[in-house]
Amino acid sequence: MGIEIERKFLVDHNAWQALNKPAGVQYKQGYILSDDTRTVRVRVTEHHGYITLKGPSGANRMSRAEYEYEIPIPEAEEILKGFTTNGTQKTRYRIPAGDFTWEVDVFSGDNEGLIVAEIELKSEQDVFEKPAWIAEEVTDDDRYANSSLALHPFKYWAKQND
């Protein structure tokens, strides 16, 4: 069984802007299924298409079953158009740090202004250093899940709290 173990953090915008970083990759993704126990997502980049299945999160919200398969880009685009009703757009940056690589998502569209960093671990006990641009941990906050952002975009959060 494929297991994803990751932690999620907000990113300090000023420190991120000052960081020398590689080119990012544009992602479009949509959800075929998304509920409390599983998600089925299709994702398209310039050079790849993927379909991903994710199971429920464990008690600590770090671990869950995950299966991801590359599919032809034309089919991924057809699935995005014909089978998904919501999704997100973002630019992903891969930043090596120590023994790990951070994946930093700079969201656009309805989630513009949100920057989230994820680190994938080999075990829940892995120790890692947080780069200076890492801010608050949000692993336990479901609002920051991409599937949640597709349904409840970041641009509406402030209005909901008013």
Side-chain angles (χ1 to χ4, degrees), residues 143 153-162:
R143 295 178 304 163
F154 182 69
K155 77 177 189 178
Y156 298 117
W157 292 9
K159 292 177 183 175
Q160 293 171 358
N161 295 330
D162 288 345

Side-chain angles (χ1 to χ4, degrees), residues 12 18 40 48 65 68 99 109 123 132:
D12 177 291
V40 178
H48 300 281
E68 184 167 75
D99 294 335
S123 86

